[in-house]
Structure formats: C-alpha cells, structure tokens
Amino acid sequence: MSRLEQVLGCFIVLCGALLFAHSAMSASNPAQRNSCVQCHSKLPASSFYGVKSHSWTGSVHQMHGVTCDKCHGGNPAAAQENQAHIGMLGSSDPHSTIYFKNIPATCGKCHGAEFYKFTQSVHYQMLESTGKGPECVTCHGSMVTKVLRPDDMVAVCARCHNERMAIAPYVPQKAKAVLLLLGESKALLADQERLHPAPRSAGTAQSLDEAGIALHNAKLDWHKFDLDAITKYLLEFYDTVEKLPRAPASH
Ligand code: HEC
Ligand code: HEC
Ligand code: HEC
Ligand code: HEC
Ligand code: HEC
C-alpha cells in the first residue's frame, strides 16, 4: 500500500467514524453502502461464510469502518458476487492477504507498532520458516478484536510450551499471570482516572500520563512475547500510581 493510499485510508476511516458518531442510525454509515457487508450479512449465521461476517458485527473494526475488503481485498462497490470477489483470494492461497503467513502483515498495514514488535519475536521467525506458531489471529480472532482470556491463553501456549516437548514449559502459567496483572492494571488506571477527575493538578496529570504510557508499553511488548519486559513496565506503572495522592487533590 502506498503512502498516499495509507493517508487516504486513514482519512476514510476518520470520516467513517465521524459520520458514524453523527448519525449512528442513518444510512450514511459507509458499512451500509459496502456490498461485502450488505450481501454477507444476509447469509445464514449458521453457515461457514455467515459465521465469519456475523462475528465481525459489533466489533471495534465495524465501529471504525474497517470493512471486509480492508483485510480481504475485492471490490466493495460491486453488487454482484463474482464482480465483488475479483482480487480476493481464499485463505489456502499463499498469495492471499489472509494466508496464515501473510496475516501479520495484513493487520500491520494499520497496526504498525504491534507488527514491528511481532517481527522481533522468535515466533515470527518460526511462522516464516515452519508455518507454525501464534500470530495476530491466535490472540485476537480475525474479525472480533477481542483478547484471549487468561485460561484460553494457557491452552494456546501449552500446545508447544509443555513438559513433553520441553520448550520453555514455564511459559503458559507465567503468561497467564502476566495477562491477569495487565487486566488489573487497566482496571486500576480507570479507577484512578475516576478518582481524580479533570481539572487535575499538574503533578496528578503527569503521573496519570506516565502510568498510561507504561501501560501502553506493556501492551506493546505482548507482541514480542517478552513477558519480563511486560512485567517491568507494569511495575513501573504501579510505581507511578503510588505517587498519586490518596484523595483527590483540591484545586
Ligand atoms: C452478492 C453477494 C456477495 C457479495 C457482494 C460479496 N460476497 Fe463474498 N461470498 C458470497 C457467497 C455466497 C460466498 C460463499 C462461497 C461462494 O459462493 O463461493 C462468499 C464467499 C466469500 C469468502 C470466502 C472465499 C473462499 O474462497 O473461501 C470471502 C473471504 C468473501 N466472500 C469476502 C467478500 C468480500 C471481501 C466482499 C466485498 C469486496 C464480498 N465477499 C462480496 C457472497 C457475496
Ligand atoms: C481485520 C481484518 C478482517 C476483516 C475486517 C474481515 N475479515 Fe474475514 N478474515 C480475516 C482473516 C485474518 C481470516 C483468516 C483467519 C480466520 O479464518 O480466522 C478471515 C477469514 C474469513 C473467511 C473465511 C475465508 C477462508 O478462505 O477461509 C470469510 C468467509 C470471511 N473472513 C469473511 C469476512 C466478511 C464477510 C467480512 C466483513 C463482514 C470480513 N471477513 C471482515 C480478516 C478479516
Ligand atoms: C484498515 C485498517 C485496519 C486493518 C487492516 C486492521 N485493523 Fe485493527 N483496528 C483498526 C482501527 C481503526 C481500530 C480502532 C481504533 C484503534 O484502536 O486503533 C482497530 C482496532 C483493533 C483492535 C482493538 C484495539 C482496542 O483498542 O480495543 C485490535 C485488537 C485489532 N484492531 C486487531 C487487528 C487484527 C488482528 C487485524 C488483522 C486480522 C487488524 N486489526 C487489521 C484498523 C485496522
Ligand atoms: C500472545 C497474544 C497476542 C498476539 C499473538 C498478538 N496480540 Fe495484540 N494484544 C495482545 C494483548 C494481551 C493486548 C492488550 C489488550 C488489552 O488492552 O488488554 C493486545 C493489544 C493489541 C492492540 C490494541 C493496542 C492498544 O493500545 O490498545 C492491537 C491493535 C493489537 N494487539 C494488534 C495485534 C496485531 C496486529 C498482532 C499480530 C502482528 C497481534 N496483536 C498479536 C496479545 C496479543
Ligand atoms: C507452535 C509452537 C509454539 C506456540 C503455540 C507458542 N510458542 Fe512460544 N516458543 C516456541 C518455540 C519453538 C520457542 C523457542 C524456544 C527456544 O528458543 O528455546 C518459543 C519461545 C518462547 C518464549 C521465550 C522462552 C525462553 O525462555 O527463551 C516465550 C516467552 C514464549 N515462547 C511465549 C509464548 C506464549 C506467551 C505463547 C502463547 C500465546 C507461545 N509462546 C506459544 C513455540 C511456540
């Protein structure tokens, strides 16, 4: 994707978000003019093709106008199926945007920071060489943008990280603990933001900013699977929260 296309893409997503905010109920929502969404949403939810599109409905991507064609290609202006599907390939074709090895790069067009961290991981190298290993869809699902629950994370990682295969078998339980801690940290930051409503003193505002940055860095380092780095950022987060006044400061 060229720089211009990227900028245009961002612009369109932005316009979509604005339109959506202004008239969530009206037909000006771009997703409603998108032939992929229109046709696929009529396919039965019980069918393979239906399940996929119905799971997209209600996702963060839907709310931000990230329609099917953004990940799959094809022509969302064409009403006929065979026209719309031109340029779109199924997941078993190595040239497809959703062929498992290509998925990180497809997501990375919009999520560059997470993709960059991921390329620094041993799992990325594995994916490239053996075609095995966790990638974006493993933890987020393809269209839902959720995050695995801690117990599901254990199951996913334990496929390889177990005593029998002897590949760092400590990983699943540690990953679960770190994910739980991240969840608690997110909740704590939300509590602190409620406890210290704006306008805030300069000191409080700075501590909240620093806590937010530490949390963001912790999230990013998940993409490198660097459990120690995530833990380090979370400890930094708690240190910063400690500095906040116990009761809301008076202004
Ligand atoms: C008029 C209806 C219609 C439109 C428009 C349409 N599709 Fe489909 N699509 C289908 C049906 C029906 C299938 C089921 C399989 C088939 O017919 O080959 C399908 C299959 C698919 C598949 C699975 C292909 C595979 O090889 O496994 C994907 C992915 C897909 N569509 C994405 C899209 C995208 C992206 C767009 C818009 C650019 C789009 N569709 C537009 C009806 C439509
Ligand atoms: C954020 C990117 C993204 C968006 C948006 C998206 N998909 Fe997908 N889709 C994927 C990925 C990645 C896969 C392959 C991995 C999987 O099956 O979970 C996939 C798989 C599919 C499949 C199975 C295709 C095959 O060949 O196995 C269908 C059908 C499909 N999507 C339809 C849709 C429809 C319809 C929409 C819009 C309503 C949509 N997708 C929106 C990323 C996306
Ligand atoms: C065309 C651009 C685009 C593509 C391609 C794309 N996304 Fe997104 N994604 C967005 C936007 C826009 C948002 C909502 C705003 C944000 O959080 O950045 C979002 C949100 C998310 C979120 C939730 C973030 C949150 O704050 O809750 C996750 C997780 C995510 N995407 C994962 C993926 C994955 C996995 C893929 C590939 C299968 C993918 N995205 C492909 C644009 C994209
Ligand atoms: C090992 C599991 C795992 C894998 C694999 C993974 N992620 Fe994530 N991702 C996470 C976790 C955990 C978070 C933090 C979620 C939260 O806010 O609780 C996250 C957050 C995100 C966010 C939101 C960031 C934010 O600041 O809110 C995006 C976007 C995202 N991931 C994209 C990707 C992309 C793109 C890939 C593939 C290159 C990917 N993820 C692979 C676990 C994973
Ligand atoms: C398909 C197999 C596979 C899966 C699934 C897998 N890994 Fe790995 N992982 C490996 C391999 C192979 C290594 C490299 C081990 C080595 O270099 O000794 C590795 C290395 C690691 C390391 C570095 C370990 C060390 O002590 O150096 C961490 C951390 C890690 N994985 C985390 C995870 C997490 C978290 C998950 C689940 C989201 C996961 N892995 C899922 C195969 C896998």
Side-chain angles (χ1 to χ4, degrees), residues 13 60-61 64 66 70-71 103 106-107 109-111 136-137 140-142 145-146:
V13 168
V60 180
H61 282 146
H64 287 80
V66 182
K70 299 288 196 315
C71 295
I103 291 175
T106 298
C107 310
K109 280 190 300 186
C110 300
H111 301 298
C136 320
V137 168
H140 294 298
S142 39
T145 65
K146 60 181 194 293

Side-chain angles (χ1 to χ4, degrees), residues 36-37 40 48-50 52-54 56-57 61 66-72 89-92 97-98 103 106-107 137 141-143 145:
C36 328
V37 175
H40 275 262
F48 172 69
Y49 301 104
K52 291 288 180 186
S53 48
H54 287 277
W56 172 83
T57 308
H61 282 146
V66 182
T67 43
C68 326
D69 49 296
K70 299 288 196 315
C71 295
H72 288 281
L89 300 165
S91 56
S92 56
T97 51
I98 60 160
I103 291 175
T106 298
C107 310
V137 168
S142 39
M143 286 156 272
T145 65

Side-chain angles (χ1 to χ4, degrees), residues 35-49:
S35 71
C36 328
V37 175
Q38 275 191 340
C39 185
H40 275 262
S41 63
K42 290 189 197 108
L43 301 178
S46 54
S47 74
F48 172 69
Y49 301 104

